[in-house]
């Protein structure tokens, strides 16, 4: 027996070592697909929500084998279940680490069959976060003269593939689809980026504040996500406003901060960017401390300073394959359209923000 065990261990060790060494690479572009059905007591009808995206919709939590059970699209599915008194199948086709081009080509296009099912009622997607993160990393590593082109390239790629994704979904989602909605980007690491660059501006010869450079780029991405949504028949969930602004009026301008920061349909890019990076910049707060009142706050970002916080456990998703599961809704009804924890976790907040666009009936 000992001899057999030693022989088996000799065969397993190389595989285990290879897995350990390759884990970071796998995590950088990791398929994390989950199907979770909200099974409501006494119902027979079942409808589908299809969500495409990267690590945000995946519910990434640092693991290569599991993810949050209740990431934003599944949270939204609970709201739909209550509103329609029906079972809701939440299909998440996500790839952690994927840039916008990858999400478009290898999820939305390659896995279009999920939104072509007759039961589909909602199609949602998010992308561009990794385009921004990769550009940020590249810029932070620069020395010598600053090259702002990496930020411009990320913005341009985001615009191209967001527009393409909407056009493709419009052409391919089942005609029964009642709602198409995108979620834009919050700014992870907002406080951490408030430092000077290692490179120097070509005109001034001085280092630049990283946050001052990154904020306009992410703001332009967010503008075009919402503007293309307006043009192409989508709704736009403004996660930037939901995460980055307090739920009270901190600057006494007569508006709740998270409302004031929202994209306004039809406004120009210059107006939107000017508001976020100028007149309202003082109201922006790192989402690690999301103020829901002037005296209380919650942490919307995990310890990696990137991904949303969540509650409700995990499901298998990733290197060991995706998972399919069923569970009763955590809440059977919602006072004023909100769960008791709607503003306590990042995914709960994003899921609620998606839900405000849910149709009254299937």
């Amino acid at each position: 027996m000992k001899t057999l065990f030693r022989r088996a261990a000799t065969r397993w060790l190389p595989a285990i070592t290879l897995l350990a060494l390759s884990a970071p690479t796998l995590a950088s572009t990791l398929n994390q697909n989950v199907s979770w059905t909200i099974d409501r007591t006494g119902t027979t009808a079942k409808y589908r929500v299809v969500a495409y995206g990267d690590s945000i919709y995946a519910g990434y939590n640092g693991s290569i084998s599991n993810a949050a059970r209740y990431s934003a699209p599944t949270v939204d599915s609970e709201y739909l279940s209550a509103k329609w008194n029906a079972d809701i199948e939440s299909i998440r086709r996500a790839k952690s680490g994927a840039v916008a081009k990858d999400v478009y080509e290898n999820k939305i296009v390659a896995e279009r069959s999920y939104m072509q099912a007759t039961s589909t009622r909602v199609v949602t997607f998010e992308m561009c976060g990794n385009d921004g993160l990769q550009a940020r990393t590249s810029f932070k590593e620069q020395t010598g003269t600053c090259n702002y082109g990496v930020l411009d390239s990320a913005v341009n790629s985001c615009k191209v593939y967001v527009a393409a994704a909407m056009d493709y979904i419009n052409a391919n989602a089942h005609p029964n689809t009642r709602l198409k909605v995108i979620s834009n980007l919050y700014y992870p690491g907002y406080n951490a980026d408030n430092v000077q660059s290692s490179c120097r501006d070509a005109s001034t010869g001085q280092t630049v504040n990283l946050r001052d450079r990154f904020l306009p780029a992410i703001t332009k991405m967010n503008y075009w996500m919402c503007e293309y949504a307006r043009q192409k028949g989508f709704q736009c969930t403004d996660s930037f406003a939901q995460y980055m602004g307090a739920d009270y009026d901190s600057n006494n301008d007569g508006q709740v901060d998270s409302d004031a920061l929202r994209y306004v349909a039809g406004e120009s890019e210059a107006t939107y960017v000017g508001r976020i990076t100028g007149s309202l910049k003082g109201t922006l707060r790192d989402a690690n401390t999301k103020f829901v009142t002037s005296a209380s706050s919650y942490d919307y970002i995990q310890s990696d300073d990137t991904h949303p916080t969540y509650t409700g456990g995990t499901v298998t998703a990733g290197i060991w394959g995706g998972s399919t599961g069923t569970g009763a809704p955590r809440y059977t009804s919602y006072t004023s359209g909100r769960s008791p924890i709607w503003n306590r976790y990042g995914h709960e907040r994003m899921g609620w923000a998606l839900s405000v666009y849910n149709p009254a009936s299937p």
Side-chain angles (χ1 to χ4, degrees):
M1 180 65 75
K2 291 181 180 178
T3 301
L4 288 173
F5 178 80
R6 284 196 296 268
R7 287 175 180 171
T10 301
R11 292 195 301 270
W12 295 338
L13 280 172
I16 293 170
T17 302
L18 177 61
L19 177 61
L21 291 174
S22 63
T25 302
L26 288 168
S28 67
T29 52
L30 177 68
N31 279 300
Q32 294 194 291
N33 302 314
V34 173
S35 171
W36 187 263
T37 298
I38 309 301
D39 186 6
R40 197 169 187 83
T41 301
T43 59
T44 56
K46 182 167 72 172
Y47 303 104
R48 173 179 286 190
V49 172
V50 181
Y52 299 103
D54 52 38
S55 58
I56 304 304
Y57 273 7
Y60 185 74
N61 63 357
S63 170
I64 62 173
S65 61
N66 64 68
R69 176 180 286 112
Y70 294 100
S71 78
T74 305
V75 172
D76 178 36
S77 296
E78 288 192 307
Y79 283 100
L80 263 181
S81 176
K83 195 166 193 174
W84 293 352
N85 190 33
D87 297 339
I88 304 294
E89 181 186 30
S90 173
I91 302 289
R92 286 149 46 188
R93 306 302 298 183
K95 190 175 185 181
S96 292
V99 294
K101 182 177 186 289
D102 196 356
V103 173
Y104 171 69
E105 293 179 348
N106 294 309
K107 286 299 175 183
I108 294 173
V109 174
E111 301 187 2
R112 59 189 174 274
S113 63
Y114 291 94
M115 62 176 157
Q116 293 174 330
T118 58
S119 61
T120 301
R121 293 298 183 274
V122 177
V123 179
T124 181
F125 76 98
E126 52 82 24
M127 57 171 58
C128 300
N130 289 300
D131 301 74
L133 290 174
Q134 290 182 16
R136 180 171 70 176
T137 298
S138 175
F139 190 82
K140 284 182 175 181
E141 293 174 349
Q142 290 183 17
T143 58
T145 302
C146 295
N147 173 19
Y148 302 123
V150 294
L151 303 179
D152 296 334
S153 294
V155 172
N156 291 334
S157 181
C158 180
K159 290 172 62 178
V160 167
Y161 289 104
V162 164
M166 290 181 180
D167 289 340
Y168 195 86
I169 290 168
N170 281 337
N172 287 275
H174 196 278
N176 286 343
T177 300
R178 299 290 309 283
L179 171 66
K180 292 166 285 189
V181 56
I182 187 173
S183 173
N184 72 6
L185 305 173
Y186 56 91
Y187 186 159
Y190 185 74
N191 281 351
D193 284 345
N194 189 21
V195 295
Q196 295 302 112
S197 65
S198 298
C199 63
R200 295 181 178 274
D201 184 85
S203 299
T204 67
Q206 302 299 311
T207 59
V208 298
N209 182 274
L210 296 180
R211 188 167 72 184
D212 288 346
R213 289 292 169 176
F214 299 152
L215 181 59
I218 194 172
T219 303
K220 290 175 183 177
M221 290 181 182
N222 283 342
Y223 172 79
W224 285 106
M225 288 184 195
C226 289
E227 177 60 15
Y228 282 143
R230 184 186 70 85
Q231 295 176 16
K232 297 175 183 292
F234 277 65
Q235 296 294 338
C236 184
T237 294
D238 198 332
S239 293
F240 183 89
Q242 299 292 342
Y243 277 49
M244 307 302 294
D247 291 335
Y248 70 97
D249 183 4
S250 71
N251 61 345
N252 298 312
D253 67 351
Q255 296 186 84
V256 171
D257 293 357
S258 55
D259 291 336
L261 290 167
R262 292 177 62 185
Y263 160 83
V264 176
E267 69 181 327
S268 69
E269 179 187 43
T271 299
Y272 176 76
V273 174
R275 285 196 298 114
I276 304 302
T277 65
S279 60
L280 295 179
K281 184 180 180 182
T283 67
L284 297 179
R285 297 290 183 271
D286 192 293
N288 278 293
T289 310
K290 162 69 182 187
F291 279 93
V292 296
T293 70
S294 60
S296 60
S297 65
Y298 295 103
D299 189 351
Y300 277 17
I301 307 293
Q302 295 178 42
S303 59
D304 64 2
D305 208 19
T306 301
H307 295 94
T309 51
Y310 65 92
T311 188
T314 62
V315 289
T316 301
I319 190 171
W320 311 117
S323 65
T324 299
T326 301
R330 295 173 295 174
Y331 305 99
T332 55
S333 62
Y334 298 91
T335 303
S336 301
R338 295 170 174 172
S339 81
I341 57 172
W342 75 280
N343 62 357
R344 299 184 186 182
Y345 302 91
H347 274 298
E348 296 293 330
R349 183 61 177 252
M350 191 182 296
W352 167 80
L354 288 168
S355 80
V356 301
Y357 300 111
N358 287 337
S361 64

